[in-house]
Amino acid sequence: MDTKIGSIDTCKPTNSDMCSPANGAVSTIQNSVSPAVINSTESTLGRHLARRLVQIGITDVFSVPGDFNLTLLDHLIAEPGLNLIGCCNELNAGYAADGYARCRGVGACVVTFTVGGLSVLNAIAGACSENLPVICIVGGPNSNDYGTNRILHHTIGLPDFSQELRCFQTVTCFQAVVNNLEDAHELIDTAISTALKESKPVYLSISCNLPAIPHPTFSRDPVPFSLSPRLSNKLGLEAAVEAAADFLNKAVKPVLVGGPKLRVAQACDSFVELADASGYALAVMPSAKGLVPEFHPHFIGTYWGAVSTAFCAEIVESADAYLFAGPIFNDYSSVGYSLLLKKEKAIIVQPDRVVIANGPAFGCIRMKDFLLSLAKRIKANTTAYENYRRIFVPEGHPLKSEPKEPLRVNVLFQHIQKLLSSETAVIAETGDSWFNCQKLKLPRGCG
C-alpha cells in the first residue's frame, strides 16, 4: 500500500513567533477574514475539529479505527485538507505523530477508548519528555453512558471510565473529556491551543455519539488562533548577556555545546549564529545530534564524556569556559554522571533561564533572544578549535573484508555512511545502534 504523507519533505518553518510551537513550523496566524457561516447540518463537532487541525498546519492524522471513534474518523476523512493514515497499532500511530511533530511542529493521532488509549500511552509519554505538541484524540464512551454504572467493553471491567484519563494526566499538559456539546467548542480549542503554547502533548476524549450532531457553537468556521508570544524580560536579558559576555570574553579557550532543548526553544539557528560570531569549537550532546549542522567549520563532534567522538571530550573538558545551550544531564547523557565538567566554568542556557557558573541566575529569558544578543557582544576566539585541529587525527578506513567473513560493525557503518544524503534521515534506537550512529557524519539536510 502506497501511503503519502503530505509535503513533509518540503515543509519549512514559518518562523512565526506569535503562534509557532516547538520548531516554528506551524503558523496559526492567518489573514484577517470573517469566518464563513456554514450549513446547519454541517455545523458539527467533527467538522470543527477537522478544520482546527488543518488550520494549525496538520495535513496528516495517524489513526487506528475502533468502534468508539468511527463516526469521528468519518468527519476527518470528509475534510479535504486532511489525509487519514491508518496504522497497524496505536503505538505506531503515536510514534508517527511524534515524528510528524518533530518535522512539522505539531502532530495528531486518533485511537479508540481505553484499549487504544492505553496502547498509545508510551508514545505520548515520549512526546511529553521531548516537548512535542501531539494532540492525542480518543473516541470515548457514549455521553449517555456516563453516570449509569454500566460496564463497557474495551475497559478493565469496572463501571469507571476515568482510568484512561488518569493515566494521561501525568504525561500530558491538558486533558479534556468532551461528553457535552455545550462546552465542546471551548474544550477542543483549549486543548489544541494549550498543546501549541506549552509544546507538550494533550489528551482529548470525545464521546462517540457527538461528532455528527449539529450545534450552534459550530455554526461558523473556527477563527484562527492568535496566541500571545512569550517575551524576554528586557532588563533581565541585558543583565544576563552582559554577565555572560564578560565571563566568556575573559576565557582563554571557551567552547559551545548544543543540547536537545535547542529544538523546543526554537534556537537552533540562533545557536549557529553565536557559533559563527564567536569562532568557538562547537559540539553537541548525543540527544541533540541533528539539531546543529555537522558541516559547520568549527564542529568537533558529539560530547558524551568517555564515549565522545574522538578528541571532542579532550577539548570540551579542558576548556576554561563552556556554554551549554539546552542541555539535559541525565544518567545516559552524562555516562553515569561521570562528565569531567566544573560548574564554575559553565554557562547553562535553558529555554527560559540562564545560569552563569556558581553565580547569578536570570529567569524569564528566551534562549533564542539570549543567544542572538550574546552573539553581538562576544569576542571571536578560535583557540579551542585550533587546539582541536592540532590533536585531531583523521579516522582510518576499516580493513577490507575477506570473502565470506562475518560482517563487522565498522564495515556496516561505513556502508550506512555512504547511504546518507540530504534526502535521508537517521532513526536510531537507544542502545548499541544509538552509540554507533553518533559516529555518522550527517551531511547538509540529513536529520
Side-chain angles (χ1 to χ4, degrees), residues 403-423:
K404 297 185 179 180
E405 178 188 351
L407 180 64
R408 301 193 304 272
V409 171
N410 59 350
V411 175
L412 170 64
F413 274 82
Q414 185 183 43
H415 288 299
I416 294 174
Q417 180 69 63
K418 292 177 181 177
L419 294 173
L420 300 184
S421 71
S422 61
E423 303 299 316

Side-chain angles (χ1 to χ4, degrees), residues 230-244 265 267 348-356 360-374:
R230 291 186 175 181
L231 301 175
S232 295
N233 179 320
K234 287 187 177 181
L235 293 178
L237 176 61
E238 291 172 7
V241 169
E242 182 179 353
I348 306 298
V349 187
Q350 295 295 5
D352 57 2
R353 189 171 184 80
V354 177
V355 180
I356 300 176
F362 304 88
C364 300
I365 296 173
R366 296 179 68 216
M367 182 192 294
K368 181 178 180 180
D369 296 338
F370 174 79
L371 297 178
L372 287 174
S373 298
L374 183 60

Side-chain angles (χ1 to χ4, degrees), residues 383-393:
T383 304
Y385 183 71
E386 291 167 2
N387 290 344
Y388 170 76
R389 295 305 306 171
R390 272 195 289 271
I391 66 173
F392 176 75
V393 177

Side-chain angles (χ1 to χ4, degrees), residues 173-239:
C173 67
F174 184 82
Q175 310 83 37
V177 176
V178 179
N179 55 19
N180 188 321
L181 285 174
E182 292 299 324
D183 59 0
H185 187 288
E186 177 186 0
L187 290 174
I188 291 171
D189 284 5
T190 301
I192 294 174
S193 61
T194 302
L196 298 178
K197 286 186 290 187
E198 301 298 327
S199 194
K200 290 280 189 181
V202 295
Y203 166 83
L204 183 58
S205 173
I206 297 177
S207 288
C208 60
N209 61 317
L210 299 184
I213 302 175
H215 193 271
T217 55
F218 304 120
S219 61
R220 290 177 177 268
D221 270 342
V223 177
F225 288 131
S226 181
L227 307 180
S228 300
R230 291 186 175 181
L231 301 175
S232 295
N233 179 320
K234 287 187 177 181
L235 293 178
L237 176 61
E238 291 172 7

Side-chain angles (χ1 to χ4, degrees), residues 71-155:
T71 303
L72 178 59
L73 292 179
D74 286 341
H75 282 76
L76 299 184
I77 291 172
E79 169 53 50
L82 282 183
N83 178 31
L84 201 64
I85 299 177
C87 299
C88 295
N89 59 58
E90 290 83 4
L91 193 58
N92 286 358
Y95 282 129
D98 173 302
Y100 192 90
R102 291 172 192 268
C103 179
R104 296 287 291 272
V106 60
C109 59
V110 183
V111 299
T112 195
F113 180 56
T114 303
V115 66
L118 298 185
S119 181
V120 78
L121 190 63
N122 201 35
I124 300 303
C128 183
S129 70
E130 293 287 325
N131 299 103
L132 295 168
V134 173
I135 301 163
C136 181
I137 304 165
V138 177
N142 190 301
S143 61
N144 297 309
D145 286 327
Y146 282 89
T148 61
N149 210 36
R150 294 170 179 165
I151 296 175
L152 298 182
H153 66 294
H154 286 348
T155 66

Side-chain angles (χ1 to χ4, degrees), residues 243-254 280 320-321 378-379 381:
D246 184 59
F247 183 87
L248 293 170
N249 287 336
K250 289 178 180 177
V252 176
K253 45 183 180 177
Y280 296 175
D320 54 348
I378 210 78
K379 294 178 182 176
N381 185 336

